[in-house]
Amino acid sequence: MVWTDRRHCLQALLAAGAVAAWPRRARACEVIASTLRITHPWTRGTAPGATEAPLFVRFDEVRLSDRLIGLSTPIAAGARLSDAAPGTPLDLPIPRGSVVDLAENGRHIVLTGLTRPVRFGLAFGLEFLFEQAGPVQADLSVDFPALRFL
């Protein structure tokens, strides 16, 4: 009887190991802050000599209204919203229950004063500063090469 119990136990462990080793769909980089979820901050590579780069990100699962009031990364001196005048401080309201998509085809964040070239395939540290959630660490990935216009 003990042998049967061991055999069933071993079979269960092997089955659990097989499930754990099964390939899973890759998930976008996400960070859960105290007030919201931040999903996949990314940018494109930049052309040589570029001084600005766009930053795209999604804020959702907003449990408490918050504001994005700052952002820092070692690759840029500052940041502003794409529809704000240069030099305007970052200030993005994020209402409770909303989904805020800062995307290529609309409003987004502009990293200003680039300190180095931004190359496809790299990742950099990124810190969002929220009014309620405070500082939140994330990774900024460079997902696509620079756009080239002919």
Side-chain angles (χ1 to χ4, degrees):
M1 183 133 196
V2 172
W3 175 249
T4 305
D5 290 339
R6 282 186 179 169
R7 186 174 60 189
H8 288 287
C9 184
L10 182 59
Q11 287 174 339
L13 287 172
L14 288 172
V19 169
W22 193 263
R24 296 185 180 106
R25 273 183 68 172
R27 295 184 63 181
C29 171
E30 62 182 40
V31 177
I32 306 295
S34 62
T35 60
L36 51 80
R37 178 173 67 172
I38 303 164
T39 303
H40 194 72
W42 69 278
T43 188
R44 290 186 167 278
T46 58
T51 60
E52 295 184 339
L55 186 155
F56 312 109
V57 63
R58 178 184 182 122
F59 302 109
D60 62 7
E61 296 184 15
V62 184
R63 294 175 294 283
L64 176 69
S65 292
D66 209 337
R67 294 183 94 74
L68 177 62
I69 56 173
L71 180 146
S72 65
T73 178
I75 64 169
R80 64 175 171 82
L81 290 171
S82 58
D83 57 356
T88 304
L90 191 58
D91 185 10
L92 176 68
I94 306 171
R96 180 176 182 258
S98 69
V99 174
V100 177
D101 264 322
L102 300 178
E104 277 190 287
N105 59 351
R107 190 180 205 196
H108 57 273
I109 295 171
V110 178
L111 299 175
T112 60
L114 294 181
T115 60
R116 65 178 81 168
V118 179
R119 293 198 176 95
F120 170 60
L122 298 179
F124 301 94
L126 177 65
E127 182 180 84
F128 292 101
L129 181 58
F130 295 95
E131 193 171 68
Q132 299 297 319
V136 178
Q137 303 295 319
D139 289 321
L140 173 62
S141 59
V142 185
D143 287 357
F144 295 96
L147 290 174
R148 298 187 191 273
F149 297 99
L150 299 176

